């Protein structure tokens, strides 16, 4: 991964997993890219792109590759079943008119993660925003968008939040800068409702919120927001997401991921303890 995803078709997490499985099976069988390509009459680049989930998994190609790799017939059928599922667009496909291509990969990762850790210095994370707070932010971010366009973008953001109510919901651990709670978004009433929402999510057994107070001084994550994902698939490495005005970057090289994870660990020590979050939210709400 470790690149700027500004174009192409963003893969589902399952397609990423199956691509890595194909690579593992090819390497275990001792088959080169060139030999695999000859088996399905394509270029070696096509095989590489299948393994990197940069293209869809064409079923006839996958079937012949698995045969070439010596996979048993029953295992081939199981793999093909998953490949057909992986080729189906994610639920977010219906929002493709308002979903930047570089962010659709994020939604896929978020939907399948078992652990999400993040630092946000500017705004409440999308997973925890109220409808009014989200609408106020999106109107600023897309000043020329039509009311219908804003409505669609808000609907997408709220749909993402269904994740928190699933039985297999991920563990979410967020560190929010105090600025997030003091920056007025949409007015006092909107901010009060947003802080109430943050207090509510503290009841979720898998959600942890910490506040980085101004008094904590400089901290290692001050350069900008970033999100860390861990998955329940052994084939899929941990991923860190960062974004800018021009797009996003996804890091999965171990050295890069460890750097961000160590920063999150240090910040969780420097921020106020989770046990104080409700008290801090209540105090800040009274100031509105």
């Amino acid at each position: 991964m470790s690149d700027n995803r500004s174009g192409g078709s963003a893969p589902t997490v399952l397609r990423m997993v199956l691509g890595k499985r194909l690579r593992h099976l090819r390497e275990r069988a001792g088959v080169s890219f060139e030999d695999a390509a000859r088996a399905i009459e394509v270029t070696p680049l096509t095989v590489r792109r299948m393994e990197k989930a940069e293209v869809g998994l064409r079923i006839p190609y996958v079937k012949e590759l698995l045969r070439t790799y010596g996979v048993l017939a029953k295992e081939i059928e199981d793999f093909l079943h998953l490949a057909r599922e992986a080729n189906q667009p994610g639920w977010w496909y219906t929002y493709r008119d308002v979903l930047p291509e570089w962010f659709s990969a994020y939604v896929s990762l978020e939907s399948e993660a078992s652990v999400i850790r993040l630092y946000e210095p500017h705004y409440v994370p999308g997973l925890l925003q109220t409808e009014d707070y989200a609408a106020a932010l999106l109107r600023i971010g897309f000043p020329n968008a039509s009311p219908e366009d804003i409505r669609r973008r808000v609907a997408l953001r709220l749909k993402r939040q269904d994740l928190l109510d699933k039985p297999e919901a991920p563990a979410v651990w967020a560190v929010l800068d105090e600025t997030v709670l003091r920056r007025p978004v949409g007015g006092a009433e909107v901010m009060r409702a947003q802080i109430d929402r943050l207090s509510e999510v503290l009841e979720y057994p898998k959600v942890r919120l910490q506040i980085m107070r101004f008094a904590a001084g400089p901290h290692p994550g001050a350069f900008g927001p970033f999100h860390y994902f861990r998955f329940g698939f052994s084939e899929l490495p941990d991923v860190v997401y960062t974004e800018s005005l021009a797009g996003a970057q996804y890091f999965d090289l171990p050295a890069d991921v460890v750097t961000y994870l160590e920063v999150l660990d240090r910040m969780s020590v420097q921020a106020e303890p989770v046990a104080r979050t409700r008290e801090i939210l209540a105090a800040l709400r009274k100031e509105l």
Side-chain angles (χ1 to χ4, degrees):
M1 210 167 279
S2 301
D3 63 350
N4 187 295
R5 300 271 178 167
S6 58
S9 175
T12 61
V13 164
L14 181 55
R15 202 168 92 199
M16 298 178 199
V17 169
L18 294 182
K20 289 183 179 293
R21 287 185 185 175
L22 280 175
R23 184 185 69 184
H24 171 72
L25 290 169
R26 179 182 56 77
E27 292 174 344
R28 188 181 69 179
V31 177
S32 67
F33 281 117
E34 291 73 18
D35 289 339
R38 277 192 290 271
I40 57 175
E41 300 181 355
V42 298
T43 66
L45 177 60
T46 298
V47 176
R48 289 179 185 271
R49 295 188 70 195
M50 290 173 65
E51 293 182 359
K52 294 172 70 175
E54 293 177 352
V55 295
L57 297 171
R58 294 186 61 180
I59 300 304
Y61 286 178
V62 173
K63 188 173 185 178
E64 188 57 36
L65 285 175
L66 294 175
R67 287 174 175 168
T68 302
Y69 302 157
V71 178
L72 298 176
K74 175 62 170 64
E75 294 176 2
I76 289 177
E77 288 307 311
D78 290 342
F79 196 107
L80 294 180
H81 174 76
L82 292 175
R84 293 186 183 96
E85 183 180 339
N87 284 334
Q88 297 300 311
W91 64 262
W92 54 90
Y93 183 75
T94 57
Y95 294 94
R96 62 193 180 280
D97 56 319
V98 294
L99 182 61
E101 189 61 47
W102 55 265
F103 193 66
S104 58
Y106 176 97
V107 178
S108 177
L109 295 172
E110 180 183 73
S111 298
E112 297 294 339
S114 59
V115 176
I116 302 173
R117 294 184 63 181
L118 59 96
Y119 167 62
E120 280 290 347
H122 305 305
Y123 303 109
V124 172
L127 276 181
L128 308 178
Q129 291 176 8
T130 65
E131 182 174 357
D132 289 339
Y133 184 97
L137 278 183
L138 289 166
R139 282 193 291 268
I140 295 298
F142 300 91
N144 298 319
S146 67
E148 174 60 16
D149 183 86
I150 296 297
R151 187 196 68 79
R152 292 273 293 157
R153 292 178 186 276
V154 171
L156 168 61
R157 191 159 297 184
L158 297 181
K159 179 67 176 174
R160 287 168 49 203
Q161 298 177 9
D162 290 348
L163 178 67
L164 298 177
D165 293 313
K166 293 182 177 180
E168 67 279 13
V172 178
W173 186 353
V175 177
L176 308 184
D177 197 277
E178 185 175 344
T179 306
V180 171
L181 304 171
R182 291 191 178 277
R183 174 176 284 112
V185 174
E189 184 177 350
V190 171
M191 287 302 298
R192 280 193 290 267
Q194 180 60 74
I195 290 177
D196 289 343
R197 173 58 180 161
L198 293 177
S199 296
E200 290 172 6
V201 299
L202 292 174
E203 300 298 328
Y204 285 80
K206 290 187 175 182
V207 174
R208 303 179 70 184
L209 296 181
Q210 289 183 268
I211 310 300
M212 182 70 75
R213 302 302 298 262
F214 294 147
H219 58 79
F223 52 85
F226 56 93
H227 298 195
Y228 161 89
F229 301 98
R230 176 169 290 172
F231 306 91
F233 305 98
S234 60
E235 296 90 346
L236 199 60
D238 297 352
V239 176
V240 170
Y241 163 91
T242 65
E243 68 177 56
S244 67
L245 289 175
Q249 284 189 300
Y250 297 84
F251 300 96
D252 62 4
L253 296 178
D256 294 333
V257 172
V258 166
T259 296
Y260 281 96
L261 195 55
E262 288 178 347
V263 166
L264 280 169
D265 286 341
R266 289 164 60 192
M267 290 176 66
S268 67
V269 173
Q270 192 171 349
E272 293 293 326
V274 174
R276 289 209 60 220
T277 299
R278 191 181 301 278
E279 172 192 341
I280 295 170
L281 290 175
L284 290 170
R285 190 186 190 283
K286 288 180 180 179
E287 296 179 19
L288 294 170

